[in-house]
Amino acid sequence: MQLKEIKIANLHTENNVFLAPLAGYTNAVFREICYNLGAGLTFTEMVSAKGLCYGSEKTEELLCVCDGYGGIKACQIFGSEPEYMRRAAESEALAPFELIDINMGCPVPKIYKNGEGSALMNNLPLAAKIISECKKSGKAVSVKFRTGLDESRIIAVEFAKMCEDAGADMICVHGRTRDKIYSGDVNFNEIAKVKSAVKIPVIANGGVFCAKDADELIERTRADGIAIARGAMYRPWIFAEITGLENIDKKAIVRGQLKKTRELYGERFACVFMRKMIGFYMKGLPNAAKYKERLFKAQTCDEVAAILEEVNFY
């Protein structure tokens, strides 16, 4: 795919291959790894606007950024009340962040039943109010949403126009309906319609697990860029493959991730988190099952590190 910068209000990304927000995964260390591997923009995992307004320590932990991180700082927030969304965007906790991304696409039942995430696609006036309130923060604002709630309610074009009219500086369209969660084919045609309907940058999301998938998504949607979610979770070096970064030492990258995650988040979190991540990274490798069995029994980061040294990622 053709690499180019994306202009989001007064911000300029380094390229148009982004790391999408991933709840439970896009912590500070993982974002830094993906950025160093070529991601032009990375997002925090989704953060509760109310949690920020009430000073939730657990919520604010999600906002950690590694010292020296060189990219645009982007935070994704979620909620259904315009006032809280504006207050969160204006909060001291989000002061370091230059871009606020509003989650209007999360399909998880708990979020949906609370009127948040993709549930906002049921209420365009409320969604528009949330966007316009967040814009009062003076920050750049983007919105992530889906093609619709189900196949009988495909409203991506209408929703995209609403976002633009409400002041959004960029939109990201996940090419599936809410009921599909993360399975099924990506609706390239609907994303292409969105691209033709608005003037703000359109980022396409869904189904990218290799450089060929990225090429197809761009070619068939004509979007300005792509956002990678699960493809990065399994293979963060996908950014290097797409952007042409060569001579990647995968083991060194994972070794560094383990070390920095331990330093930043502590022994227990790092052990549990990196057992899971290394398990993802080993998908499809010879003897993966054998390594995973040992990996998930590991009780310390040192044990995880020892198993990691035995794995051949090539």
Side-chain angles (χ1 to χ4, degrees):
M1 60 176 282
Q2 182 179 358
L3 299 177
K4 64 179 183 179
E5 73 170 29
I6 301 290
K7 185 176 183 297
I8 314 167
N10 62 335
L11 304 173
H12 296 264
T13 68
E14 295 184 26
N15 62 50
N16 54 342
V17 185
F18 300 168
L19 170 66
L22 277 163
Y25 296 99
T26 51
N27 59 41
V29 179
F30 188 71
R31 296 197 307 273
E32 182 179 55
I33 284 171
C34 292
Y35 172 75
N36 290 339
L37 285 169
L41 181 64
T42 72
F43 295 85
T44 67
E45 49 192 296
M46 65 179 190
V47 176
S48 165
K50 271 193 173 179
L52 286 175
C53 292
Y54 287 114
S56 165
E57 184 177 338
K58 187 175 180 181
T59 297
E60 292 193 8
E61 285 177 359
L62 301 174
L63 302 177
C64 180
V65 178
C66 290
D67 291 340
Y69 179 79
I72 294 167
K73 297 179 181 67
C75 174
Q76 186 184 75
I77 61 174
F78 74 97
S80 61
E81 298 173 62
E83 179 190 353
Y84 282 107
M85 295 292 277
R86 175 186 55 77
R87 285 171 56 190
E90 294 175 343
S91 68
E92 184 177 344
L94 292 193
F97 292 87
E98 303 149 278
L99 172 63
I100 303 298
D101 185 63
I102 304 172
N103 184 314
M104 296 190 179
C106 180
V108 175
K110 181 181 177 181
I111 299 293
Y112 184 83
K113 290 176 182 176
N114 208 33
E116 301 164 335
S118 58
L120 290 166
M121 298 193 74
N122 286 310
N123 191 336
L124 271 67
L126 175 59
K129 180 67 173 174
I130 287 171
I131 295 168
S132 62
E133 286 296 300
C134 286
K135 281 293 293 183
K136 291 179 180 178
S137 68
K139 296 177 184 283
V141 171
S142 59
V143 183
K144 190 168 189 284
F145 59 94
R146 290 178 169 250
T147 54
L149 281 305
D150 55 46
E151 292 302 317
S152 69
R153 291 177 289 174
I154 301 288
I155 60 167
V157 170
E158 181 183 4
F159 202 84
K161 289 179 178 178
M162 176 278 297
C163 291
E164 183 175 49
D165 291 344
D169 300 297
M170 181 180 76
I171 54 177
C172 178
V173 187
H174 183 126
R176 299 183 179 93
T177 52
R178 185 257 165 181
D179 63 320
K180 298 283 181 60
I181 310 295
Y182 303 109
S183 63
D185 295 334
V186 172
N187 190 333
F188 300 110
N189 189 49
E190 198 62 26
I191 301 176
K193 289 179 182 177
V194 167
K195 173 57 187 168
S196 297
V198 297
K199 295 182 175 61
I200 56 177
V202 175
I203 306 301
N205 171 229
V208 176
F209 292 90
C210 63
K212 184 178 177 181
D213 293 337
D215 290 339
E216 182 181 22
L217 187 58
I218 282 287
E219 183 179 337
R220 296 186 63 176
T221 65
R222 301 298 177 189
D224 298 290
I226 63 169
I228 306 173
R230 288 175 301 143
M233 188 173 74
Y234 286 98
R235 299 175 66 250
W237 28 85
I238 189 173
F239 295 105
E241 293 172 6
I242 295 172
T243 61
L245 188 62
E246 299 178 345
N247 301 318
I248 298 302
D249 186 338
K250 296 177 183 177
K251 186 175 289 188
I253 290 166
V254 183
R255 191 185 294 128
Q257 183 183 11
L258 174 60
K259 180 177 182 291
K260 200 156 189 175
T261 301
R262 187 184 202 176
E263 292 170 350
L264 199 58
Y265 296 103
E267 172 74 22
R268 184 57 189 161
F269 176 89
C271 179
V272 174
F273 181 75
M274 290 305 298
R275 286 188 321 203
K276 180 170 55 177
M277 297 309 293
I278 294 170
F280 287 152
Y281 301 159
M282 289 193 298
K283 184 178 180 181
L285 295 180
N287 301 314
K290 179 185 70 175
Y291 287 122
K292 286 181 185 179
E293 184 179 357
R294 292 172 54 206
L295 189 64
F296 293 128
K297 291 178 181 177
Q299 295 299 308
T300 68
C301 288
D302 287 344
E303 289 179 60
V304 173
I307 296 167
L308 171 62
E309 292 308 313
E310 299 178 30
V311 178
N312 181 3
F313 286 103
Y314 295 91

